Amino acid sequence: MLSAHKLDSADFLGKNVSSLPDRPSEAGMTAAELKAAFDRGGEEVIAGHFNDLIDTLSGNEGAAGIGTGDGRTVEKRLDSCVESENVSKLGADADGVLLIDKNGEHCTVGHRIQQADNSAVPNRRMLAFLNATVTDDERNDRTLIAPNAVMSVNEKSGSHIILSSDDVGAASKAVFLAHAENRQNPHGVTAQQIGAVNRQELLPLAFDLTLSDGVTASNRICRQWGPLVSLNVMFAFHSAYSGMGVKLASMPKEFAPPQWVLCYGIGRTSNGELFPMFVSIDTDGQILADIMFEVAYISISVSWVLDTLGLQS
């Protein structure tokens, strides 16, 4: 045990300077004896313990008495070390790849394999390459991997081949551009397929009104263009009239708005005064007016969209 070589006060008993008489010469000590007394502690005590400690440390059991920070002795730690005349240092980098430090140069043993998404696959004992020729380039300290894949299309073969549009059954650039510039509807797409109205539906379709008793109409234009219905008309009364919710006329129900429509009309008295008025058209095609003054004429101009395309007025 290394602790056996520790010094204590008993080792210096009778050999330290403090044990000498206060007046050595009067006690009969010669100069030579006094000098020897001064050297005795170092030569006989300290030197002996120090030499014994060196002998113990340099012996076969020396490492067994030296402790380390992890609680093991140097001997125990050495038992787990790798001894090699060719390798001076073994270690691992941050990714766990084994490194050999020989003559001050790092040499990596093994490689981390990275996938397309930058993730790494586990290290294995062997790395296999399929459909490839692997050669050892010792001169440049590298391994060469050459793919052996051979393609063959329309009697064209090789590791790299140039394919034409005919080889893969595709249209050529000229044919594709000509098709893209064709404005004659080569695919025969119909208006119904894309939710549009056709030419026939856009032709104006006229209809007429059924007037209420005592009401006439002039300058009337009642037409449908596809889903759009327009009504422009001037109603005239045989005599000036005032009342709430007066029915002026009605139209065929197929032309009626899908939802109740309210519009502004212009009322004119017999002497030419003008008043704003409210005129409504319900889903049955009835044209109603709220007449708050005695007027002789009412003019309206209104349009709405039918629900043939799922639209609202």
Side-chain angles (χ1 to χ4, degrees):
M1 294 287 291
L2 295 180
S3 59
H5 300 285
K6 295 173 63 176
L7 295 170
D8 55 34
S9 58
D11 295 321
F12 292 94
L13 187 63
K15 298 179 181 181
N16 51 10
V17 176
S18 61
S19 64
L20 296 177
D22 294 338
R23 296 180 183 275
S25 60
E26 293 180 1
M29 291 186 69
T30 64
E33 291 174 335
L34 183 61
K35 292 178 182 179
F38 273 94
D39 294 335
R40 188 176 299 119
E43 292 178 353
E44 298 182 10
V45 180
I46 298 176
H49 279 269
F50 185 77
N51 291 337
D52 290 343
L53 177 62
I54 291 177
D55 291 339
T56 301
L57 291 175
S58 60
N60 293 334
E61 304 297 328
I66 303 175
T68 60
D70 62 358
R72 294 182 296 170
T73 64
V74 172
E75 182 181 42
K76 292 296 183 181
R77 297 202 65 173
L78 289 175
D79 289 341
S80 61
C81 294
V82 177
E83 294 186 18
S84 173
E85 296 180 357
N86 298 320
V87 179
S88 60
K89 186 188 296 183
L90 291 175
D93 63 10
D95 294 326
V97 177
L98 183 64
L99 299 177
I100 297 178
D101 192 342
K102 184 177 180 181
N103 298 327
E105 297 181 358
H106 287 289
C107 175
T108 302
V109 180
H111 304 276
R112 296 285 285 174
I113 302 174
Q114 190 177 64
Q115 302 183 101
D117 61 356
N118 294 330
S119 63
V121 298
N123 285 334
R124 300 299 182 193
R125 186 171 60 88
M126 298 186 66
L127 180 65
F129 292 92
L130 304 180
N131 298 321
T133 299
V134 182
T135 56
D136 182 22
D137 185 5
E138 181 180 2
R139 178 179 179 182
N140 297 302
D141 191 22
R142 62 180 182 174
T143 301
L144 299 180
I145 303 168
N148 294 332
V150 177
M151 296 177 286
S152 178
V153 179
N154 282 359
E155 299 182 355
K156 298 178 180 179
S157 61
S159 57
H160 297 83
I161 60 177
I162 299 176
L163 301 178
S164 67
S165 56
D166 293 334
D167 292 327
V168 296
S172 65
K173 182 178 180 180
V175 173
F176 179 81
L177 293 177
H179 180 78
E181 295 173 357
N182 189 340
R183 301 294 189 271
Q184 303 300 317
N185 193 13
H187 296 290
V189 179
T190 65
Q192 183 180 10
Q193 289 173 331
I194 61 175
V197 295
N198 56 39
R199 176 182 294 181
Q200 186 65 32
E201 290 175 326
L202 289 175
L203 295 177
L205 178 64
F207 60 90
D208 205 355
L209 303 176
T210 300
L211 303 174
S212 299
D213 293 340
V215 180
T216 60
S218 61
N219 301 328
R220 54 185 169 184
I221 301 176
C222 308
R223 290 183 179 177
Q224 175 194 4
W225 288 271
L228 182 66
V229 177
S230 294
L231 184 62
N232 296 273
V233 60
M234 176 183 286
F235 296 101
F237 299 96
H238 294 165
S239 59
Y241 189 85
S242 175
M244 299 293 290
V246 177
K247 179 179 178 180
L248 302 178
S250 62
M251 66 179 68
K253 190 172 182 178
E254 61 267 26
F255 298 103
Q259 295 182 355
W260 187 80
V261 172
L262 176 66
C263 65
Y264 288 104
I266 300 296
R268 182 163 62 89
T269 64
S270 56
N271 58 9
E273 293 183 87
L274 301 178
F275 298 95
M277 309 193 67
F278 290 105
V279 178
S280 61
I281 306 173
D282 63 19
T283 56
D284 291 327
Q286 298 186 88
I287 305 174
L288 307 173
D290 290 336
I291 304 175
M292 305 182 67
F293 305 94
E294 292 187 355
V295 296
Y297 305 95
I298 297 177
S299 298
I300 63 171
S301 179
V302 63
S303 299
W304 61 87
V305 177
L306 299 178
D307 61 358
T308 55
L309 296 179
L311 302 175
Q312 296 183 353
S313 58

